[in-house]
Amino acid sequence: MEKANHSMVSEFILLGLSKSQNLQILFFLGFSVVYAGIVLGNLLILVTVTFDSCLHTPMYFLLINLSCIDTILASFATPKMIVDFLRERKTISWWGCYSQMFFMHLLGGSEMMLLVAMAIDRYVAICKPLHYMTIMSPRVLIGLLLSSYAVGFVHSSSQMAFMLNLPFCGPNVVDSFFCDLPLVIKLACKDTYMLQLLVIADSGLLSLVCFLLLLVSYTVIICSVRHCTASGSSKAFSTLSAHITVVTLFFAPCVFIYVWPFSQYSVDKILSVFYTIFTPLLNPIIYTLRNQEVKAAIKKIRTRHINSKHTL
């Protein structure tokens, strides 16, 4: 006999983004291009940082880890969503649904903490430049990275613990393109009001703490940059603007998703798409277009590749 929490529900039905066949074909083509852009864009950052020794610094070590998280975050649901656009019946197994929810919160929590680590790195680089490489040593970097993943794992495990004893014996239709925890909890065959509040509090607390840490860090950094020379100030603001843009794009959807997680409005789907698909796409674009060092490294690698082809 199967476990009680899914004894009568072995799969969930995903409604997706639209019921229109024409729109689904359009979405299939559009999101296929977007997903390819996510993988290629983040892979470009990974390859550029790896093969250019000038970028072997703490900031870019954290950046390639952000790219890895973004790629996996976009991959936990997007490939299935793309395939489902061609299917009339969109289903996912109970354990597949559980896995999607686990990885979403694992990666989301880890990325929040990684953004905090990147803010700490920028604070040390700008406010204590003479001691930067000493403070941001490999040991500290590994510690920050492991702490990010540990916080993500603890956060995700605590969220999934809410699901273990929930009975699912009736409705199994999820009004989204992936298994979102607030939507799945609503399908349980019991009163889940208090559980919904706990889910919001858990995610909200982590988001709030990370956001406040980032706000304080960047406020201090901006105040410090104002006292720099014109050239130093320009370079610092160029780097900071990319970081602040990424932070804004990441946290803005979180506010709406977890402040109004149980609303019936289609805006929830739009925000979910933005959070899981477009943010991982925009991050590499922002870091390559607004970062002169990365752009220079890409040109250098491209030139090296062209020259090597001519010598063959």
Side-chain angles (χ1 to χ4, degrees), residues 49-181:
V49 174
T50 301
F51 287 98
D52 193 313
S53 58
C54 295
L55 300 182
H56 292 177
T57 63
M59 184 180 84
Y60 293 107
F61 172 78
L62 296 174
L63 178 58
I64 60 173
N65 278 278
L66 179 66
S67 292
C68 290
I69 290 178
D70 278 338
T71 304
I72 302 171
L73 181 63
S75 300
F76 85 94
T78 306
K80 175 170 174 50
M81 178 188 70
I82 292 172
V83 173
D84 281 347
F85 285 134
L86 303 179
R87 293 175 177 168
E88 185 175 345
R89 181 178 171 82
K90 305 169 178 60
T91 61
I92 185 170
S93 67
W94 194 95
W95 285 112
C97 184
Y98 191 92
S99 298
Q100 281 193 345
M101 292 185 290
F102 176 81
F103 282 108
M104 178 183 181
H105 288 276
L106 169 66
L107 297 167
S110 298
E111 182 158 346
M112 285 184 192
M113 290 304 300
L114 189 58
L115 290 173
V116 172
M118 294 175 77
I120 294 172
D121 171 77
R122 288 301 83 203
Y123 168 78
V124 176
I126 294 172
C127 299
K128 300 181 183 297
L130 298 179
H131 305 285
Y132 177 58
M133 295 306 296
T134 303
I135 296 175
M136 300 302 294
S137 63
R139 182 177 179 181
V140 171
L141 284 174
I142 296 298
L144 288 172
L145 186 62
L146 292 179
S147 297
S148 299
Y149 289 124
V151 169
F153 180 79
V154 171
H155 167 64
S156 185
S157 298
S158 65
Q159 294 284 65
M160 294 302 100
F162 297 140
M163 290 283 297
L164 291 178
N165 296 316
L166 283 181
F168 293 92
C169 54
N172 67 337
V173 178
V174 179
D175 189 13
S176 185
F177 62 93
F178 70 99
C179 287
D180 198 4
L181 183 57

Side-chain angles (χ1 to χ4, degrees), residues 251-312:
F251 279 93
C254 289
V255 172
F256 287 95
I257 290 172
Y258 285 103
V259 171
W260 297 285
F262 306 108
S263 65
Q264 299 297 320
Y265 299 106
S266 59
V267 69
D268 289 344
K269 290 186 181 180
I270 298 172
L271 290 170
S272 295
V273 168
F274 187 84
Y275 177 75
T276 58
I277 300 173
F278 285 104
T279 298
L281 174 66
L282 292 173
N283 284 355
I285 293 175
I286 292 167
Y287 279 114
T288 52
L289 293 181
R290 298 190 66 87
N291 191 307
Q292 296 300 324
E293 291 179 335
V294 173
K295 286 163 61 174
I298 292 173
K299 288 180 182 178
K300 188 191 300 182
I301 292 174
R302 186 174 59 188
T303 302
R304 190 187 307 164
H305 176 68
I306 294 173
N307 290 337
S308 66
K309 287 178 67 175
H310 287 322
T311 56
L312 292 178

